[in-house]
Amino acid sequence: VQRVSGVQMKMFDITAIGELLIDYTQVGYSPSDMALFEQNPGGAPANVLACAAKLGQKTAFIGKIGADMQGEFLRKTLQAASINTEGLISDENFFTTLAFVSLNANGERSFSFARRPGADTQISREDVELSIIRNSRIFHFGSLSLTDSPARETTIFALEEAKKAGCLISYDPNYRPLLWKSEAQASEQMRQVLPYVDVIKLSDEETELLTGYADPKVAAKYLIDSGIKLAAVTLGKNGALLTTKNGSDTVCGFDVTAIDTTGAGDAFWGAFLFSIGELGKEIGELDLGEILKAAKFANAAAALCVTKRGAIPAMPSLSEIEGLMEN
C-alpha cells in the first residue's frame, strides 16, 4: 500500500459486495401478443462498479451466483466490463437471482423477483475474500444484501473489515419493497448499518425510510449530523441534492428522452465515486464546489444511462459524459 498526497493508493479503487442478478426487461410483444423479455445483467452494486470501470477505475466484486447458465453469463459480463471476479463465488446449491422488469411509457419500472432464496442471499463469512477488501480504497454496498441471512450478517462482517482497513464506506439503500417482509423491517435493517457509512446515495423516495424525514434537505442534514460525511439525494429529472457539513446545494439534471431508468442511480453513483476519486483527496478535504462539480458529472452519466436499455450495457464512456456536459 502506497501513500500519495495523504491518500492511500490501493490495488482497487472500488470494491462492492451484494447482489448480482439478471434483469429480464420487457422489450415489446411477440407476433402472438406475448410479452418479450431481454436478458440484462444487473444488481445495483455491480452496476456501480461497471460505471466506474468503464471510466477507467480498477474495481472488484464480492458476491455469490448460482452454478448455472445465468451465473456464468454474469461472471463473463463482469469480466468483459473489466471488473475483478476473484471474489465471486459460484454455488451449485442455489439458483442465480432473477428480476423481471416491466416498463411504462416513461421508462419507469415495476419489478417481480425469483429469489427464494437466490444465490446472492447465501454468501457466508467464509466466502468473503478479505484480501480484496483490505486492498480497496472504497468499499460499496447496498441494502438488498441485508434482506436475508446469511448475506445480512456477512455484509456487516465485511463492513467491519472494511472499516478496519481504512476504506471509505459507500452505501446505496436501494429500497425494493417486494424483497422485505415489511416496511418496518426494511427501515430497521437499512438504518442499522448507517454508523459504518462515510458517503451515502439515496433517492428522494427513500429519505423517510432511512431518516424519518420525507424532505430531502432535512433528511440529508439528519444523515450528516449522525456522522456521515457526504449525503447525495437523487431527485429524478430534477438532479441531485448534495450535502456535507460545509453546506448543501442542488445540481440540475440533463434533459434527455428516457427509454429505461434501470441503473440510472447506479450510473450516477459510480460516476460520482469516480469523479471524487480522481481528485486524490480525503472526503473531508473536498469543498462543496468540488463535490457539486462531481455531481454534475454524475448527473450526465445517469442521463446517458437512461437513453439505453439495461444497466451494465448502458453505462456511458468518459467521452460520452464530457460530450453531454459540453452541450
Side-chain angles (χ1 to χ4, degrees), residues 26-71:
Q26 190 175 345
V27 290
Y29 294 88
S30 71
S32 56
D33 207 32
M34 294 291 116
L36 296 175
F37 289 83
E38 183 177 66
Q39 181 192 41
N40 284 303
N47 295 341
V48 169
L49 295 183
C51 181
K54 186 80 174 274
L55 297 172
Q57 288 195 325
K58 293 180 179 177
T59 64
F61 185 80
I62 295 172
K64 182 171 277 193
I65 48 177
D68 49 47
M69 62 183 291
Q70 313 282 10

Side-chain angles (χ1 to χ4, degrees), residues 93-112:
N93 297 310
F94 303 99
F95 199 72
T96 300
T97 295
L98 308 178
F100 293 87
V101 188
S102 60
L103 305 171
N104 67 16
N106 298 319
E108 294 296 329
R109 304 160 295 162
S110 59
F111 291 87
S112 61

Side-chain angles (χ1 to χ4, degrees), residues 20-22 39-42 46-47 50 53 65 69-85 88 311-313:
L20 185 60
L21 49 83
I22 304 292
Q39 181 192 41
N40 284 303
N47 295 341
I65 48 177
M69 62 183 291
Q70 313 282 10
E72 287 312 302
F73 168 68
L74 288 167
R75 184 183 294 277
K76 288 176 182 175
T77 299
L78 293 198
Q79 291 169 347
S82 301
I83 298 169
N84 182 288
T85 57
L88 180 60
I312 290 176

Side-chain angles (χ1 to χ4, degrees), residues 187-206:
S187 179
E188 178 188 355
Q189 295 298 335
M190 290 163 74
R191 290 185 193 199
Q192 72 158 334
V193 294
L194 290 175
Y196 295 99
V197 175
D198 297 305
V199 294
I200 186 170
K201 191 277 292 181
L202 66 165
S203 76
D204 51 358
E205 297 172 346
E206 294 161 341

Side-chain angles (χ1 to χ4, degrees), residues 278-298:
E278 290 297 287
L279 294 171
K281 297 181 180 181
E282 299 288 355
I283 195 73
E285 297 172 355
L286 298 174
D287 63 43
L288 190 59
E290 290 172 317
I291 289 166
L292 296 176
K293 187 176 179 181
K296 182 181 178 183
F297 179 87

